[in-house]
Amino acid sequence: MNFRYHTFAGLLLTAGITASADDDLGRLSANPYDAESTSNPYGAGSPYNADSINNPYGRYGSEYSNDSANNPYATNAPKLYDDNGNYRGRLSANPYDPESTSNPYGQYGSEYSPDSINNPYGAGSRYRADSPNNPYGRGLRVYGQGDGGHDDAGTDATADDSDPMSAWGASDSDAADSGWNFLSPGGDE
């Protein structure tokens, strides 16, 4: 008998835990036509979007929020990643944070560092597709520190701790009713 183990539920659970850890804030890009670009005033760069780094009253755009890219004293600014998942520093106005893109002596802020978006011959080249300075490129992915799935009232907004599938609006009984059994062996006879 050929046994197969269905790990689909395990993959869904892992993806759900990972996805809720950080807020996707779009892409740091000079491309005003890309909907995910922080330079698009009608997309991710909208000053009316609550999670936009361009919203002066939002968590990631306020000059007073510790999570903001625009606070010169922030210690928890949004993180930058390229398309390969490589960390590219923090999008921060803090010139003293060693990981800040505004630190002129740091790895991610120096105009001489190949990892810096401020280096016109390195990661900041306007000819690289993943450079935030390329007006036709994709830029770098921006992630803000997530709030762990809690809404503003402090209540759990995504899932019941006892039922991990509730984050997708499903429950254990829904899976049982559908005839799918992800955790037990099945086989072709």
Side-chain angles (χ1 to χ4, degrees), residues 28 82-84 88 123 128-134 137-140:
L28 181 64
D82 64 16
D83 286 335
N84 295 326
R88 294 294 180 193
R128 289 179 56 157
D130 65 345
S131 171
N133 300 322
N134 183 340
R138 297 280 295 155
L140 298 174

Side-chain angles (χ1 to χ4, degrees), residues 31-113:
N31 186 344
Y33 304 107
D34 184 357
E36 293 185 317
S37 173
T38 56
S39 294
N40 184 336
Y42 305 105
S46 171
Y48 305 107
N49 180 347
D51 287 337
S52 173
I53 62 170
N54 296 328
N55 182 342
Y57 306 106
R59 176 179 180 187
Y60 299 110
S62 167
E63 63 181 284
Y64 304 107
S65 171
N66 191 44
D67 297 331
S68 173
N70 301 316
N71 180 348
Y73 305 105
T75 57
N76 196 31
K79 297 178 180 180
L80 297 171
Y81 291 91
D82 64 16
D83 286 335
N84 295 326
N86 298 317
Y87 179 69
R88 294 294 180 193
R90 289 188 178 271
L91 181 61
S92 174
N94 185 346
Y96 305 107
D97 183 349
E99 297 179 7
S100 172
T101 56
S102 295
N103 183 339
Y105 305 107
Q107 176 181 0
Y108 303 107
S110 170
E111 64 181 301
Y112 304 108
S113 171

Side-chain angles (χ1 to χ4, degrees), residues 138-157:
R138 297 280 295 155
L140 298 174
R141 181 64 66 190
V142 183
Y143 290 103
Q145 180 65 39
D147 59 4
H150 295 280
D151 61 12
D152 292 331
T155 58
D156 195 354

